[in-house]
Amino acid sequence: MFSLPRAEWSEPVRVRFAPSPTGYLHVGGARTALFNWLFARHNRGTFVLRIEDTDLARSTEESVTAILDSLRWLGLDWDEGPDIGGPYAPYVQTERLDLYQHYAQKLVEAGRAYWCFCTPEELEERRQQARDNQEAWKYDRKCLHLTPQEQERLRGEGRQPVLRFYSEDTGATVVDDLIRGRMRFENDVLEDFVLLKHDGVPTYNFAAVVDDASMKITHVIRGDDHISNTPKQIQIYRALGWEPPKFAHLSMILGPDHTRLSKRHGATSVGQYKDNGYLPEAMINYLALLGWSLNATEQIFSREELIRHFTLERVGKNPAVFDNQKLEWMNGVYLRKLSPEQLTQAAWPFMQAGGLVQEPSPAEAPAEVRQRVQRALQLMQTRVRTLAAFPEAVRYFFTADNPVEEAAAAFLAQPGAAARLQKLADRLEATEPFHQENIQAAFAAVQEELGISAGELIHPARAALTGRKVSPGIYDVVELLGRDESVRRLRQAAGRS
RNA sequence: GGCCCCGUUGUCUAGCGGUCUAGGACGCCGCCCUCUCACGGCGGUAGCAGGGGUUCGAAUCCCCUCGGGGCUACCA
């Protein structure tokens, strides 16, 4: 049985991720971007990146850069966007102001929009009054029937009007959501919302519609905080005589307290996860599972597998709590998949930040240093879950005088410990060549000579060599430390105990 | 308050009327491996929000209640 190529007969898929540059890329935004990207790639469609910077007060250039950086780090590449252009450029809303003006004019001409001179203060007053009377507030259309003369007069007074949409009074707007099914909204609950702000800049609902339509977006996949905007947008499409795209609303990502995930819950930006030592592959995989699943049995998916299997039908509709523990576990899974070279490359910046290496990259380090770092990282590869944990985990391989943990000190304080360490030092000093097999033999010889168990020698040795109670296998530790350093540490500890 | 969305173990989820004494994953607990820790292997813990229907039969369909969330801006 062959499956037919998907969506081959209909128009090619075009989706977009449209962040507003008012901060960093949030994991919720990243998940939305990911689902759009997966949908586009799965359907061999186009993934568009558009910057929605109509909030002049809060949008910043730094945010744009940060968001683009995070998307690149995640490997979510776009086919059209602000930096690379495309057939529907520009991809930044503040560079498309003429377009919104043009369609605003069309709406005015069609009698579907009108100028409103009410000031925010006046509106607030009336809103408050409605609240006091326990009434639901909806813009009262005070300015709907202003004559041209009255409008002139108000403008003369220096009032800068907003443009309001004349929304439908009767009937209902139905949305057939690809994830949620049919949703129905009574039109009379919608007020005449603002299309153009007093400075002529469009509001989100207007700009998004004009752009989605003019950019030929076929599927709008976004967070469910936009569900209540959808009927407004559909009405705009209708008023302009346009065919609305298909909608798919993703449920929110929640914090542990089941409220919308926010800074209060700790790390929430993609950049923070990068800085905290997470791998982009792990992040992608984890985010994909937040709302999507193939069969609930498989958890680990490569990028290619996600693309191959991703469909909107398998996206769930219930909100998901972001689980840092599972992300961490998954990061560990991906960490263990890395080759020694990849591991070294990935962990290097953290090693540098931890002060264990000087060079900014493995390529710039002497081969000997590189080898040593690589080996140390390998020894900890199954024992650590984030890249950021490496420096602390391997520190004693790189520093001469290491603090001795309390638990480790107990091993050194045991009667006879000093003699054992002394003997071990002597043996190791004479071990040649200094490799695993011979090192193990040296340990065995001391044990036999002293008539003690492996643990009775190894535990104090570990304490002496690492200052810790736990470490990688002791023979690995000794080998990497090298003969001179191992002997030195053993004797030093023996002398102290 | 109004409108809308959602509701399977602590968390992510499978389940689309019978194969469910509800499966997988994270977490947690125990055992094995073992020089410690981790990895790995094995096992355990815990759930269909509640109540009414429909049906021979409901986690699955309908209604109500309850709970959670979102929107209700000249923010997106």
Side-chain angles (χ1 to χ4, degrees):
Chain A
M1 192 80 133
F2 295 94
S3 60
L4 289 165
R6 294 162 278 259
E8 231 51 58
W9 316 270
S10 52
E11 51 190 342
V13 161
R14 290 179 58 82
V15 294
R16 45 63 161 191
F17 175 56
S20 65
T22 55
Y24 300 106
L25 181 64
H26 208 257
V27 292
R31 202 266 312 250
T32 301
L34 172 63
F35 281 26
N36 273 285
W37 182 83
L38 288 172
F39 185 75
R41 295 291 173 261
H42 178 87
N43 293 296
R44 299 182 181 285
T46 304
F47 179 52
V48 177
L49 178 63
R50 182 173 75 222
I51 301 299
E52 307 213 326
D53 57 349
T54 54
D55 185 344
L56 269 25
R58 295 198 303 144
S59 296
T60 66
E61 196 53 45
E62 299 80 76
S63 292
V64 174
T65 307
I67 290 169
L68 264 53
D69 282 350
S70 286
L71 289 171
R72 287 194 192 99
W73 179 71
L74 287 170
L76 303 181
D77 56 326
W78 49 97
D79 307 302
E80 298 170 23
D83 56 332
I84 54 175
Y88 303 94
Y91 292 89
V92 176
Q93 290 187 326
T94 48
E95 294 171 22
R96 301 167 65 80
L97 264 21
D98 292 349
L99 197 63
Y100 312 125
Q101 289 293 342
H102 173 75
Y103 288 111
Q105 193 51 46
K106 289 253 187 241
L107 286 172
V108 172
E109 286 163 14
R112 291 306 306 275
Y114 60 94
W115 298 101
C116 168
F117 292 79
C118 300
T119 65
E121 294 73 33
E122 291 166 354
L123 288 169
E124 187 44 48
E125 197 174 309
R126 277 180 270 162
R127 250 195 290 263
Q128 186 56 49
Q129 214 163 64
R131 258 198 295 274
D132 292 345
N133 297 337
Q134 303 269 46
E135 289 161 14
W137 162 263
K138 204 170 116 173
Y139 177 65
D140 50 18
R141 291 185 166 167
K142 187 172 181 221
C143 299
L144 177 56
H145 297 297
L146 253 29
T147 64
Q149 291 82 343
E150 288 170 317
Q151 295 196 6
E152 245 355 274
R153 183 177 55 78
L154 288 162
R155 279 183 204 274
E157 287 175 13
R159 291 209 186 200
Q160 293 181 303
V162 299
L163 186 70
R164 284 188 185 270
F165 182 67
Y166 181 73
S167 68
E168 297 169 33
D169 297 314
T170 58
T173 299
V174 167
V175 182
D176 283 309
D177 190 277
L178 263 21
I179 292 170
R180 281 148 218 279
R182 175 158 295 196
M183 297 184 287
R184 185 190 160 88
F185 301 84
E186 294 302 324
N187 289 155
D188 62 12
V189 304
L190 272 192
E191 70 170 350
D192 289 352
F193 54 91
V194 172
L195 258 19
L196 253 30
K197 307 178 207 176
H198 70 89
D199 56 2
V201 176
T203 56
Y204 163 73
N205 282 121
F206 187 46
V209 167
V210 169
D211 287 343
D212 285 338
S214 60
M215 291 180 181
K216 305 261 192 303
I217 298 302
T218 57
H219 301 256
V220 171
I221 304 171
R222 70 211 326 185
D224 77 356
D225 47 334
H226 287 300
I227 286 181
S228 35
N229 286 320
T230 310
K232 298 182 192 176
Q233 297 180 187
I234 288 179
Q235 284 202 23
I236 299 175
Y237 279 101
R238 282 205 292 248
L240 254 9
W242 294 337
E243 181 71 19
K246 301 235 182 302
F247 292 96
H249 288 97
L250 271 19
S251 278
M252 314 240 84
I253 296 180
L254 274 25
D257 61 354
H258 289 241
T259 61
R260 184 193 192 132
L261 189 67
S262 73
K263 316 90 226 155
R264 297 196 330 276
H265 303 292
T268 51
S269 80
V270 171
Q272 280 176 291
Y273 281 97
K274 178 188 181 217
D275 294 343
N276 289 345
Y278 288 83
L279 298 167
E281 300 75 35
M283 207 68 207
I284 289 286
N285 194 157
Y286 178 69
L287 251 19
L289 257 29
L290 235 41
W292 174 86
S293 71
L294 178 61
N295 51 25
T297 302
E298 293 168 76
Q299 307 284 325
I300 304 300
F301 295 93
S302 67
R303 230 168 262 273
E304 293 66 35
E305 289 168 328
L306 288 174
I307 290 171
R308 180 148 23 110
H309 298 300
F310 184 85
T311 59
L312 254 19
E313 290 77 64
R314 295 215 53 87
V315 173
K317 38 189 173 186
N318 35 348
V321 173
F322 194 90
D323 183 0
N324 273 300
Q325 282 190 311
K326 185 159 182 177
L327 203 214
E328 203 175 287
W329 162 77
M330 194 168 276
N331 201 56
V333 171
Y334 279 90
L335 219 45
R336 276 173 248 129
K337 284 177 189 273
L338 298 180
S339 70
E341 291 73 23
Q342 291 172 320
L343 179 65
T344 307
Q345 185 70 37
W348 198 275
F350 294 88
M351 292 293 282
Q352 193 196 9
L356 300 185
V357 297
Q358 305 308 314
E359 301 78 6
S361 77
E364 294 164 78
E368 201 184 296
V369 171
R370 192 165 57 234
Q371 280 310 311
R372 209 177 142 67
V373 169
Q374 183 176 102
R375 185 65 191 140
L377 294 174
Q378 272 183 281
L379 291 182
M380 288 309 297
Q381 191 167 15
T382 62
R383 292 166 233 258
V384 122
R385 288 182 151 194
T386 67
L387 297 171
F390 274 115
E392 179 50 28
V394 302
R395 171 154 265 115
Y396 54 80
F397 284 118
F398 299 89
T399 52
D401 286 299
N402 296 289
V404 180
E405 296 177 345
E406 208 177 313
F411 286 119
L412 297 175
Q414 284 175 350
R420 292 175 212 166
L421 298 180
Q422 207 59 259
K423 275 241 176 331
L424 181 61
D426 294 344
R427 283 281 182 178
L428 288 175
E429 193 164 41
T431 297
E432 176 64 40
F434 202 71
H435 62 219
Q436 283 253 4
E437 203 179 314
N438 288 344
I439 292 165
Q440 185 163 0
F443 272 77
V446 173
Q447 285 161 36
E448 200 176 331
E449 190 180 336
L450 263 31
I452 56 177
S453 70
E456 287 171 309
L457 180 59
I458 289 171
H459 292 307
R462 169 170 290 115
L465 295 167
T466 70
R468 302 183 187 187
K469 191 181 60 175
V470 307
S471 82
I474 198 68
Y475 312 126
D476 285 320
V477 170
V478 171
E479 185 181 38
L480 180 56
L481 240 24
R483 180 171 29 224
D484 293 352
E485 184 62 13
S486 295
V487 169
R488 189 187 72 76
R489 292 187 188 188
L490 288 170
R491 292 207 167 123
Q492 187 183 52
R496 274 202 303 241
S497 63

